[in-house]
C-alpha cells in the first residue's frame, strides 16, 4: 500500500469470485472502492468474456470473435472492427455471399433475413467502419465506447446462435427423427 493515509478501514480494492452454477467455472473481478480506481470493475480471470462456441462454427469467425471480446474494454474501436470482420466471414460462410465490399454482401443479404436483423447487421458494418477506415479529415476522431462494442458482440453471438447453432440443432433433430422412423420401420418388418 502506498501513501501515509492508508488505514485498514479504507479498502481500495475488492476481489470478487463468481462460480457459474451450470459449468462450475470461476470468474474473478477486481473492483475499486471508496473512490479508488474510479470504482471501476475489471475482469481478471478469464481475461475474456467470450462464449466458447462449438467447432462447427468456423475457426476464423471464432478466433476474431474471441479476440474482439478480449480487447473490448482496451480498444473498443478495434473490437468493433473485429465484429465487422466476424460478420463478413459469417455472411460469406453461412450464406455463400461473396462480393468485393461488405456493403454489397450485406445488400445481397437483404430479404433473406428479417428486416430488423438486416438493419442491425448493416449497423455493425457502419460502426465497424470507424476502426476500419480513416475519416477524410484525419483530425475527426469518432470513438466507440466499450458498451457499444459489447452490443455489437452481442449481435455476433446472437447471429452465431440463430445461424450456426440453430442449423446444427435442426440437423440433429431431423437425424434423430429419421432414425426413430428407421427403427420403427425395421421393427415392423420383423
Amino acid at each position: 500500500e502506498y501513501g501515509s493515509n492508508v488505514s485498514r478501514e479504507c479498502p481500495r480494492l475488492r476481489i470478487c469470485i463468481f462460480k457459474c452454477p451450470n459449468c462450475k467455472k470461476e470468474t474473478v473481478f477486481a473492483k475499486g472502492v471508496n473512490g479508488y480506481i474510479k470504482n471501476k470493475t475489471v475482469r481478471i480471470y478469464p481475461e475474456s468474456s467470450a462464449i466458447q462456441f462449438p467447432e462447427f462454427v468456423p475457426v476464423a469467425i471464432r478466433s476474431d470473435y474471441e479476440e474482439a471480446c478480449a480487447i473490448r474494454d482496451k480498444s473498443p474501436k478495434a473490437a468493433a472492427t473485429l465484429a465487422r470482420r466476424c460478420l463478413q466471414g459469417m455472411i460469406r460462410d453461412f450464406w455463400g455471399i461473396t462480393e468485393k465490399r461488405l456493403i454489397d454482401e450485406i445488400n445481397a443479404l437483404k430479404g433473406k433475413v428479417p428486416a430488423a436483423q438486416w438493419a442491425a447487421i448493416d449497423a455493425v458494418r457502419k460502426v465497424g467502419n470507424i476502426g476500419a477506415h480513416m475519416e477524410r479529415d484525419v483530425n475527426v476522431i469518432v470513438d466507440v465506447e466499450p458498451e457499444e462494442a459489447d452490443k455489437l458482440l452481442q449481435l455476433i453471438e446472437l447471429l452465431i446462435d440463430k445461424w450456426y447453432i440453430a442449423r446444427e440443432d435442426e440437423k440433429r433433430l431431423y437425424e434423430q427423427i429419421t432414425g426413430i422412423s428407421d427403427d420403427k420401420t425395421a421393427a415392423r418388418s420383423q
Side-chain angles (χ1 to χ4, degrees), residues 4 64 71 80 82 94 127 157:
S4 59
D64 284 348
I71 64 169
L82 282 166
F94 188 85
V127 176
E157 294 165 356

Side-chain angles (χ1 to χ4, degrees), residues 19-133:
K19 189 172 201 171
C20 175
N22 299 323
C23 70
K24 308 297 183 212
K25 292 183 180 177
E26 294 177 334
T27 304
V28 181
F29 294 94
K31 179 178 173 134
V33 292
N34 295 335
Y36 290 97
I37 315 175
K38 301 178 190 173
N39 289 337
K40 186 175 179 181
T41 301
V42 177
R43 175 189 294 268
I44 296 175
Y45 177 84
E47 189 175 325
S48 170
S49 62
I51 295 170
Q52 299 303 303
F53 288 110
E55 292 198 9
F56 55 78
V57 176
V59 68
I61 293 166
R62 285 184 285 134
S63 176
D64 284 348
Y65 161 76
E66 290 167 7
E67 184 178 347
C69 288
I71 64 169
R72 177 188 54 229
D73 293 330
K74 293 178 182 163
S75 181
K77 195 183 305 182
T81 303
L82 282 166
R84 176 188 185 278
R85 182 178 158 96
C86 285
L87 184 63
Q88 186 166 29
M90 292 166 65
I91 292 170
R92 289 178 174 183
D93 176 70
F94 188 85
W95 294 98
I97 298 171
T98 303
E99 300 289 340
K100 286 184 176 183
R101 302 176 311 156
L102 178 56
I103 190 170
D104 297 328
E105 293 170 339
I106 291 173
N107 285 336
L109 188 61
K110 195 170 196 171
K112 296 181 181 188
V113 297
Q117 188 180 95
W118 183 88
I121 287 168
D122 193 44
V124 170
R125 174 191 65 82
K126 291 174 183 175
V127 176
N129 280 349
I130 292 170
H133 304 291

